[in-house]
Structure formats: C-alpha cells, structure tokens
Amino acid sequence: MNISIAETDQDILDCYEVLSQLRPHISKDDFLKRILSLTHNCGYQLARLDDNGVKAVVGYRISDWLHTGKYLEIEDLIISAEKRSSGYGGKLFDWILE
C-alpha cells in the first residue's frame, strides 16, 4: 500500500474512477483540466491510496488565515465503493494529518 500526492497527469487521471463516485458530474474529459486548475490557482492537492490500484482519494488544501493561522480543508474524501470499510479511509486521513 502506498499513499502519495498525485503529481503527474497520469497520477491524476488514475484517480478519476474513484473520485467520480463522489463527483459524478465531472466528466473524464474535464477531470484533468479541473484538477490542474485547482492545484495551480487554489493550492488544491490530490492524494491517492494505491493498493494494487487506486482505492481511495482525498482532495485537500492547506492554507493560512490571518485570524486563526494555518488550517487544513478536506474537500473530497472517497473510498472506492467495493473497498469501503477496509480501513483505507482512516489510513488516508492519518496520512493527511501527518
């Protein structure tokens, strides 16, 4: 099992099948363009848990507010439907917190 930030176009595209279960309104044709735009413009990061294929995906941002300081915003967290209740969500969440 490996958790890593999806950095290449192919890494990002490999996340589509899982993330589309949460965001079915985003077409595969638009997916890469939208993720790259969010990454560039908003600091969005996409991380994936790979266990012989992508099983879970998290989209998040780490930002800073003047009044409260640094914060973590989890925008998307999805485990593949056939792998839910396998502990993948907890592992991905713990990875983000580290």
Side-chain angles (χ1 to χ4, degrees):
M1 183 181 65
N2 181 46
I3 299 174
S4 61
I5 295 174
E7 296 182 306
T8 68
D9 290 0
Q10 189 59 56
D11 288 345
I12 294 167
L13 289 170
D14 289 346
C15 296
Y16 177 77
E17 292 304 319
V18 174
L19 193 56
S20 68
Q21 294 174 31
L22 181 66
R23 307 285 182 227
H25 63 283
I26 301 173
S27 73
K28 192 167 187 173
D29 291 338
D30 290 335
F31 183 70
L32 179 61
K33 180 176 67 172
R34 296 209 37 204
I35 297 296
L36 291 174
S37 176
L38 287 169
T39 299
H40 178 75
N41 295 323
C42 306
Y44 181 88
Q45 293 290 309
L46 192 63
R48 62 197 206 139
L49 183 148
D50 191 314
D51 190 10
N52 295 315
V54 175
K55 306 294 190 237
V57 176
V58 63
Y60 66 97
R61 307 166 204 266
I62 298 174
S63 195
D64 211 350
W65 285 351
L66 181 60
H67 72 289
T68 58
K70 193 173 185 179
Y71 73 97
L72 167 68
E73 177 182 348
I74 297 174
E75 186 171 327
D76 308 293
L77 177 61
I78 181 74
I79 292 68
S80 181
E82 65 274 0
K83 293 298 179 180
R84 292 190 185 134
S85 299
S86 299
Y88 289 136
K91 291 181 189 311
L92 198 52
F93 191 77
D94 290 345
W95 179 86
I96 291 170
L97 293 179
E98 286 180 26

